Amino acid sequence: MVTDSRTRLVEAAQQLFAQQGVSATSPRDVLAASGVGQGSLYHHFPTKHDLALAAVAATAAETLEAARGRLQGDAAPLDRVVAYLERPRDALGGCRVGRLTADQAVVDDDGLRAEVAGYFTGLIDEVAAVLRETGLDADAALDRARACVAIIQGGYVLARATQDPELLRSAVRGFVALLTGPATA
Amino acid sequence: MVTDSRTRLVEAAQQLFAQQGVSATSPRDVLAASGVGQGSLYHHFPTKHDLALAAVAATAAETLEAARGRLQGDAAPLDRVVAYLERPRDALGGCRVGRLTADQAVVDDDGLRAEVAGYFTGLIDEVAAVLRETGLDADAALDRARACVAIIQGGYVLARATQDPELLRSAVRGFVALLTGPATA
């Protein structure tokens, strides 16, 4: 089935990118991991770039959707931000989108970088909108939203560097204590 | 001069690692960039691993020393932490140490990872010591110190993802506003 082989190729690429990065992943690796035929690969994705773009876009969309699930709802706005910050994460695996920014080939490719940038600006906008509900003005909400997203990305870096997931949790705990302190609630 | 060629090799490796990562850098690249002779390379660094270890250790030591310069001194403790957070940074270049954590080959190598981990735990300990001077208890100071270090690493990720240095500055501004708020000062 045509649709199915395309999905399998994209999913295999997403997984390999998360494990070893875009640069180190060849179309041949994706082909082997997906189990689809070579003709199907070139039918759906004539170039490695087409495949990379589809896989990075899919990862960005899935990750943004998961964040939206925490940020929307009926709970108090600050509670939703805290729920987003504190959700369980694969600390040692790292952020599937954030890690791509360390790959110079991704940063140098306008199409791939646009997907990664779109994920982060979309996420920051969502968090900023929730923070404005707490009464913050637009500029302060934007700075604080960027801090929220940065603390997660930085926590992943610390956890991976030390191979200790506690460092992500601890950084988030330190940040949430500031965020929910009496003066800022 | 023997000392000089060793230093030139290490400095060339540091620069190449910062630009393209450890995995993508060959001893041949370092040799070409350093301008020293091949015999000298193998005299000082019999294996690529020896050279990588020396270069990563040198980068970690230099970066930690620069941070200490901001964190020590006669200013009020919180002012020193803010000076560390707000120091000018090459946002688009990324942290020369932090970016190494995205390189799976670095994370999988116990020796290299120990250098990167040592940098972060050393830096966190410095920041935590300064935060304890503000009256925080040890656990809260450690969480907050990890948040301080994470906000910088995450700010780099956001700046690189969007190719906009303002995102690092904005995340730091959002964090500093929480850190220096009336309830937490």
Side-chain angles (χ1 to χ4, degrees):
Chain A
M1 204 166 63
V2 174
T3 316
D4 192 55
S5 64
R6 187 184 191 284
T7 304
R8 278 156 66 195
L9 286 162
V10 170
E11 287 176 355
Q14 287 181 267
Q15 195 157 10
L16 287 166
F17 290 175
Q19 285 164 6
Q20 60 192 35
V22 176
S23 297
T25 302
S26 69
R28 187 186 296 264
D29 295 337
V30 176
L31 206 56
S34 68
V36 309
Q38 187 159 349
S40 185
L41 172 63
Y42 296 112
H43 170 71
H44 292 297
F45 304 107
T47 68
K48 178 181 170 176
H49 189 255
D50 297 321
L51 176 58
L53 213 50
V56 170
T59 296
E62 288 165 17
T63 313
L64 188 54
E65 203 46 45
R68 284 205 174 105
R70 306 274 171 172
L71 289 166
Q72 293 170 352
D74 297 330
L78 202 59
D79 290 346
R80 282 181 271 142
V81 174
V82 171
Y84 159 71
L85 291 167
E86 292 182 342
R87 79 162 175 81
R89 289 182 165 86
D90 174 14
L92 300 188
C95 173
R96 290 191 305 159
V97 185
R99 275 184 62 201
L100 296 173
T101 65
D103 192 332
Q104 197 60 44
V106 172
V107 172
D108 290 344
D109 180 306
D110 287 344
L112 293 177
R113 204 185 47 70
E115 292 295 341
V116 174
Y119 163 74
F120 282 117
T121 53
L123 178 55
I124 288 165
D125 287 348
E126 291 275 341
V127 177
V130 180
L131 288 170
R132 285 196 303 274
E133 291 180 48
T134 69
L136 277 189
D137 70 44
D139 286 349
L142 190 58
D143 285 348
R144 191 167 296 182
R146 286 166 172 167
C148 288
V149 175
I151 204 77
I152 301 301
Q153 293 299 316
Y156 275 125
V157 170
L158 298 186
R160 280 179 60 83
T162 58
Q163 290 291 291
D164 182 357
E166 168 62 9
L167 268 81
L168 169 58
R169 289 193 294 266
S170 170
V172 168
R173 207 158 52 224
F175 184 76
V176 168
L178 290 169
L179 189 66
T180 59
T184 58
Chain B
M1 202 167 62
V2 174
T3 316
D4 192 55
S5 65
R6 187 185 192 283
T7 303
R8 278 158 64 196
L9 286 162
V10 169
E11 286 176 356
Q14 287 181 267
Q15 195 158 10
L16 288 166
F17 290 176
Q19 284 163 5
Q20 61 192 34
V22 176
S23 298
T25 302
S26 69
R28 186 187 297 264
D29 296 336
V30 176
L31 206 56
S34 70
V36 309
Q38 189 159 350
S40 184
L41 171 63
Y42 296 110
H43 169 72
H44 293 297
F45 304 107
T47 69
K48 177 183 171 175
H49 189 254
D50 296 321
L51 176 59
L53 212 51
V56 171
T59 296
E62 288 164 16
T63 312
L64 187 54
E65 201 49 42
R68 283 203 175 107
R70 307 273 171 171
L71 290 166
Q72 294 170 353
D74 297 330
L78 202 59
D79 291 345
R80 281 181 271 142
V81 174
V82 171
Y84 159 72
L85 291 167
E86 292 183 342
R87 81 161 174 81
R89 290 183 165 86
D90 175 14
L92 301 187
C95 174
R96 291 191 304 160
V97 185
R99 276 184 62 200
L100 296 173
T101 64
D103 191 332
Q104 198 59 45
V106 172
V107 172
D108 290 345
D109 180 306
D110 287 344
L112 293 177
R113 204 185 48 70
E115 293 294 340
V116 174
Y119 163 73
F120 282 117
T121 53
L123 178 56
I124 288 165
D125 286 349
E126 291 275 342
V127 177
V130 180
L131 288 170
R132 285 197 304 274
E133 292 180 48
T134 69
L136 276 190
D137 70 43
D139 286 348
L142 190 58
D143 286 347
R144 191 167 295 183
R146 286 166 172 166
C148 288
V149 175
I151 205 78
I152 301 300
Q153 293 299 315
Y156 276 124
V157 171
L158 298 185
R160 279 179 61 82
T162 57
Q163 289 293 290
D164 183 357
E166 169 62 10
L167 268 82
L168 170 58
R169 289 191 294 264
S170 170
V172 168
R173 209 160 50 224
F175 184 77
V176 167
L178 290 169
L179 189 65
T180 59
T184 57

